[in-house]
Amino acid sequence: MNKVFWVLLIVLGLAAPWLMYPVFAMKLLCFALFACAFNLLLGYVGLLSFGHAAFFGGAAYITGHVITAWGFAPLPGILTGTLFAMVLGAIFGALAIRRQGIYFAMITLALAQIIFFLALKLPFTGGENGLQGIPRGTLLGVFDLNQPITMYYFVFAIFMAGFLIIYRTIHSPFGQILTAIRENEPRARSLGYNVERFKLIAFTLSATLAGTAGATKSVIFQFASLTDVHWQMSGEVVLMTLLGGMGTLFGPIAGAAAVITLQDELASFGSWVQVAIGGIFVVCVLLFRRGFVGELARMLKAKSS
């Protein structure tokens, strides 16, 4: 089944800019990577973070700043934003993993609100207007990223690199230890594993890839705004992960595609779009408790047996 999903992912990824508006496809890839990064923490470690918008939006602001003010090219700019998210993730993780459950979630939310306040008040962020006019420039001095198709395949390459890192992580011995911690933390601790260290590494990796997604988004849309660091962004990535299937490899991609498509199609309803998405979410949770991909995997497994 995984092979089928891999083939579909690659084929659809390569064909997407010819089947839909390239900017919409790029937005979908960014949020798919964001959701996959979040799923690494929630689905495979069992840690619910309400602060991932800090890494997503923080990296977007840093990338935008170094490109516009320091003259960085897009790729070094995205890498700088990713590095910022990694450092921020290590700091936040070191503070948050001291607690579990709702206390962990609330600590991540509180820390993320600090980043939101800084994004609002620091002079280089543009305050409520956001950081605008981020140039796309060229990739390696050769490829013009102002061309939508060129920009799309650059974003697709970043997405695939991030997704392969996640795939390799969860299928490695490190990933198996994370799953053991999720299933039975006291037993994992009794076997001699430094649970806090593994949690911190997973948190930092998740934050890093979330930052990559945010940094890439800022280059695509050429701006970073307070929406990127708002707590609602953290809520949206939780929604994407649960809809697609928590703890599944391809579920967050399906969830991100569903949410982004709904937001785009229902945009004419204004603020009511959130009500519509909330209602759809309730229905989907009641009917597909494992998410779209989770339920599909269960049915295929039951059919094969």
Side-chain angles (χ1 to χ4, degrees), residues 212-263:
T212 303
T216 305
K217 178 179 175 289
S218 71
V219 176
I220 295 170
F221 291 98
Q222 300 182 274
F223 72 88
S225 70
L226 291 175
T227 303
D228 297 329
V229 289
H230 196 266
W231 63 265
Q232 188 173 345
M233 184 64 72
S234 296
E236 285 188 10
V237 76
V238 174
L239 175 63
M240 293 172 186
T241 304
L242 294 179
L243 276 180
M246 181 181 69
T248 62
L249 182 61
F250 296 95
I253 300 175
V259 172
I260 297 302
T261 302
L262 283 171
Q263 289 177 343

Side-chain angles (χ1 to χ4, degrees), residues 41-66:
L41 188 65
L42 176 62
Y44 292 95
V45 191
L47 296 175
L48 174 60
S49 167
F50 283 140
H52 260 51
F55 315 122
F56 183 81
Y61 273 104
I62 294 299
T63 296
H65 179 67
V66 299

Side-chain angles (χ1 to χ4, degrees), residues 114-155:
I114 296 175
I115 301 301
F116 176 83
F117 177 79
L118 293 174
L120 180 63
K121 295 299 182 180
L122 289 176
F124 75 88
T125 62
E128 294 182 354
N129 295 322
L131 185 59
Q132 303 179 24
I134 302 171
R136 288 185 178 179
T138 58
L139 176 62
L140 304 176
V142 178
F143 303 102
D144 183 10
L145 296 182
N146 290 300
Q147 299 298 321
I149 300 299
T150 306
M151 184 67 195
Y152 170 81
Y153 285 114
F154 173 55
V155 173

Side-chain angles (χ1 to χ4, degrees), residues 254-273:
V259 172
I260 297 302
T261 302
L262 283 171
Q263 289 177 343
D264 184 68
E265 293 295 327
L266 301 177
S268 59
F269 289 94
S271 59
W272 285 96
V273 66

